[in-house]
Amino acid sequence: MPLPFLTADRAIEAADDDVALPYDDRDRWRRPYRPGPWRVGAAALWLLLASYVLFAAVIIALTGTGSEAGIVFGIALVIIAVALRLLRMGVWVSLRGLRQVGFFRTRTVRWEHVGAVRTVQQPVRWLGLPRAVQGQALVLVRLDRAADDLPPLLTTHNADFLARPEAFDRAADTVEGWAAENGRG
Protein backbone atom coordinates (compact mmCIF):
# COMPACT_ATOMS: atom_id res chain seq x y z
CA MET A 1 0.00 0.00 0.00
CA PRO A 2 1.61 3.29 -1.03
CA LEU A 3 1.94 5.89 1.70
CA PRO A 4 2.31 9.22 -0.14
CA PHE A 5 2.89 11.24 3.03
CA LEU A 6 6.15 9.35 3.62
CA THR A 7 7.52 10.31 0.22
CA ALA A 8 6.70 14.02 0.39
CA ASP A 9 10.11 15.12 1.67
CA ARG A 10 11.97 12.91 -0.79
CA ALA A 11 9.96 14.28 -3.71
CA ILE A 12 10.67 17.84 -2.61
CA GLU A 13 14.39 17.17 -2.17
CA ALA A 14 14.61 15.43 -5.55
CA ALA A 15 12.81 18.22 -7.39
CA ASP A 16 14.66 21.06 -9.04
CA ASP A 17 14.84 24.35 -7.18
CA ASP A 18 12.78 26.01 -9.92
CA VAL A 19 9.86 23.61 -9.50
CA ALA A 20 7.46 24.52 -6.68
CA LEU A 21 5.07 21.62 -7.37
CA PRO A 22 7.00 18.32 -7.53
CA TYR A 23 3.88 16.13 -7.80
CA ASP A 24 2.47 14.52 -10.93
CA ASP A 25 -1.19 14.60 -9.90
CA ARG A 26 -1.78 18.11 -8.61
CA ASP A 27 -5.55 17.60 -8.23
CA ARG A 28 -5.20 15.29 -5.21
CA TRP A 29 -4.96 16.72 -1.71
CA ARG A 30 -1.39 16.29 -0.46
CA ARG A 31 0.47 17.16 2.69
CA PRO A 32 3.73 18.77 1.49
CA TYR A 33 5.71 17.45 4.47
CA ARG A 34 6.03 14.33 6.59
CA PRO A 35 4.20 14.05 9.90
CA GLY A 36 6.61 14.87 12.71
CA PRO A 37 7.96 12.43 15.27
CA TRP A 38 5.81 13.86 18.07
CA ARG A 39 2.63 13.32 16.05
CA VAL A 40 3.64 9.83 14.92
CA GLY A 41 4.72 8.90 18.47
CA ALA A 42 1.42 10.05 19.98
CA ALA A 43 -0.53 8.10 17.35
CA ALA A 44 1.62 5.02 18.00
CA LEU A 45 0.85 5.24 21.73
CA TRP A 46 -2.88 5.51 20.97
CA LEU A 47 -2.63 2.45 18.69
CA LEU A 48 -0.73 0.56 21.40
CA LEU A 49 -3.52 1.36 23.83
CA ALA A 50 -6.05 0.21 21.23
CA SER A 51 -4.28 -3.14 20.91
CA TYR A 52 -4.59 -3.70 24.66
CA VAL A 53 -8.26 -2.74 24.57
CA LEU A 54 -8.87 -5.09 21.63
CA PHE A 55 -7.14 -7.90 23.53
CA ALA A 56 -9.39 -7.12 26.51
CA ALA A 57 -12.42 -7.27 24.20
CA VAL A 58 -11.41 -10.75 23.05
CA ILE A 59 -10.96 -11.94 26.65
CA ILE A 60 -14.30 -10.45 27.64
CA ALA A 61 -15.96 -12.09 24.62
CA LEU A 62 -14.56 -15.48 25.66
CA THR A 63 -15.44 -15.16 29.33
CA GLY A 64 -18.25 -12.64 29.55
CA THR A 65 -21.22 -11.53 27.54
CA GLY A 66 -21.22 -10.37 23.95
CA SER A 67 -22.64 -6.96 24.79
CA GLU A 68 -19.78 -6.17 27.18
CA ALA A 69 -17.26 -7.27 24.55
CA GLY A 70 -19.06 -5.11 21.97
CA ILE A 71 -18.78 -2.05 24.21
CA VAL A 72 -15.05 -2.61 24.76
CA PHE A 73 -14.59 -3.26 21.03
CA GLY A 74 -16.39 0.04 20.32
CA ILE A 75 -14.01 1.82 22.71
CA ALA A 76 -11.07 0.32 20.79
CA LEU A 77 -12.52 1.59 17.52
CA VAL A 78 -12.83 5.10 18.96
CA ILE A 79 -9.18 4.96 20.10
CA ILE A 80 -8.11 3.85 16.60
CA ALA A 81 -10.14 6.69 15.06
CA VAL A 82 -8.39 9.18 17.38
CA ALA A 83 -4.96 7.86 16.32
CA LEU A 84 -5.84 8.11 12.64
CA ARG A 85 -7.20 11.63 13.05
CA LEU A 86 -3.96 12.65 14.79
CA LEU A 87 -2.02 11.41 11.76
CA ARG A 88 -4.36 13.22 9.37
CA MET A 89 -3.94 16.63 11.03
CA GLY A 90 -1.91 19.26 9.20
CA VAL A 91 -1.91 21.41 6.08
CA TRP A 92 -2.92 19.88 2.75
CA VAL A 93 -2.69 21.50 -0.68
CA SER A 94 -4.12 20.85 -4.14
CA LEU A 95 -5.13 22.83 -7.19
CA ARG A 96 -8.47 23.54 -5.50
CA GLY A 97 -6.97 25.30 -2.50
CA LEU A 98 -5.39 24.99 0.89
CA ARG A 99 -6.88 22.78 3.62
CA GLN A 100 -6.04 22.95 7.31
CA VAL A 101 -7.10 19.74 9.03
CA GLY A 102 -7.49 20.00 12.78
CA PHE A 103 -8.65 17.39 15.26
CA PHE A 104 -12.27 18.56 15.34
CA ARG A 105 -12.46 20.93 12.39
CA THR A 106 -11.26 21.18 8.82
CA ARG A 107 -10.97 24.54 7.03
CA THR A 108 -10.61 24.77 3.27
CA VAL A 109 -9.71 28.01 1.50
CA ARG A 110 -9.86 28.22 -2.27
CA TRP A 111 -6.82 29.81 -3.89
CA GLU A 112 -8.96 32.69 -5.16
CA HIS A 113 -9.56 33.77 -1.55
CA VAL A 114 -5.90 33.60 -0.50
CA GLY A 115 -4.30 37.02 -0.19
CA ALA A 116 -0.89 35.84 0.98
CA VAL A 117 0.89 32.99 2.72
CA ARG A 118 3.97 34.11 4.62
CA THR A 119 6.26 33.19 7.48
CA VAL A 120 6.23 35.52 10.49
CA GLN A 121 8.03 35.64 13.81
CA GLN A 122 5.47 35.56 16.64
CA PRO A 123 4.55 33.78 19.88
CA VAL A 124 3.33 30.27 19.04
CA ARG A 125 1.78 27.52 21.13
CA TRP A 126 4.12 24.73 22.20
CA LEU A 127 2.68 21.36 21.03
CA GLY A 128 -0.79 22.92 20.99
CA LEU A 129 -0.73 23.54 24.74
CA PRO A 130 -1.61 26.93 26.29
CA ARG A 131 2.07 27.72 26.85
CA ALA A 132 3.36 30.18 24.23
CA VAL A 133 6.98 30.49 23.15
CA GLN A 134 8.69 32.66 20.55
CA GLY A 135 8.83 30.95 17.18
CA GLN A 136 7.95 31.13 13.53
CA ALA A 137 4.51 30.58 12.07
CA LEU A 138 3.22 30.21 8.55
CA VAL A 139 0.12 32.38 8.37
CA LEU A 140 -2.60 32.68 5.79
CA VAL A 141 -3.99 36.10 4.94
CA ARG A 142 -7.42 35.82 3.34
CA LEU A 143 -8.89 38.45 1.10
CA ASP A 144 -12.33 38.20 2.67
CA ARG A 145 -11.48 38.04 6.42
CA ALA A 146 -9.40 39.67 9.09
CA ALA A 147 -6.09 37.97 9.82
CA ASP A 148 -6.90 37.69 13.54
CA ASP A 149 -9.60 35.08 12.86
CA LEU A 150 -7.27 32.44 11.45
CA PRO A 151 -4.87 30.27 13.42
CA PRO A 152 -1.38 29.77 11.96
CA LEU A 153 -1.09 27.02 9.36
CA LEU A 154 2.24 25.69 10.63
CA THR A 155 4.48 26.62 13.55
CA THR A 156 8.00 25.69 14.56
CA HIS A 157 6.69 24.30 17.85
CA ASN A 158 3.79 22.10 16.74
CA ALA A 159 3.85 18.29 16.72
CA ASP A 160 5.26 18.16 13.19
CA PHE A 161 8.18 20.56 13.48
CA LEU A 162 9.32 20.68 17.12
CA ALA A 163 13.15 20.56 17.07
CA ARG A 164 13.10 20.31 13.24
CA PRO A 165 13.63 23.88 11.94
CA GLU A 166 14.88 22.70 8.54
CA ALA A 167 11.71 20.67 8.01
CA PHE A 168 9.60 23.70 8.95
CA ASP A 169 11.48 25.92 6.48
CA ARG A 170 11.11 23.34 3.72
CA ALA A 171 7.37 22.85 4.40
CA ALA A 172 6.73 26.60 4.65
CA ASP A 173 8.57 27.21 1.38
CA THR A 174 6.56 24.47 -0.31
CA VAL A 175 3.19 25.82 0.87
CA GLU A 176 4.26 29.34 -0.12
CA GLY A 177 5.23 27.94 -3.54
CA TRP A 178 1.79 26.38 -3.97
CA ALA A 179 0.19 29.69 -2.99
CA ALA A 180 2.39 31.69 -5.36
CA GLU A 181 1.70 29.36 -8.27
CA ASN A 182 -2.05 28.92 -7.72
CA GLY A 183 -3.18 32.07 -5.94
CA ARG A 184 -2.09 35.58 -5.32
CA GLY A 185 0.29 34.67 -2.43
Side-chain angles (χ1 to χ4, degrees), residues 118-124 133-139 156-157 168:
R118 62 177 173 255
T119 305
V120 296
Q121 190 82 14
Q122 69 180 31
V124 295
V133 296
Q134 192 65 24
Q136 290 184 351
L138 184 69
V139 295
T156 53
H157 289 81
F168 172 80

Side-chain angles (χ1 to χ4, degrees), residues 8-30:
D9 280 348
R10 282 183 241 132
I12 292 167
E13 291 169 1
D16 294 333
D17 291 336
D18 299 335
V19 179
L21 307 173
Y23 301 109
D24 294 334
D25 185 11
R26 295 170 40 189
D27 290 330
R28 289 186 50 205
W29 288 102
R30 298 190 179 275

Side-chain angles (χ1 to χ4, degrees), residues 17-95:
D17 291 336
D18 299 335
V19 179
L21 307 173
Y23 301 109
D24 294 334
D25 185 11
R26 295 170 40 189
D27 290 330
R28 289 186 50 205
W29 288 102
R30 298 190 179 275
R31 182 190 344 228
Y33 58 91
R34 287 186 200 164
W38 287 90
R39 184 173 311 284
V40 173
L45 288 176
W46 280 104
L47 290 174
L48 181 66
L49 176 64
S51 69
Y52 285 115
V53 174
L54 284 171
F55 186 67
V58 169
I59 291 174
I60 291 172
L62 294 174
T63 61
T65 65
S67 64
E68 293 171 346
I71 290 171
V72 175
F73 183 72
I75 292 170
L77 289 179
V78 168
I79 293 171
I80 291 170
V82 166
L84 292 177
R85 189 62 182 184
L86 277 175
L87 289 174
R88 182 97 174 123
M89 290 171 57
V91 174
W92 297 73
V93 292
S94 80
L95 279 180

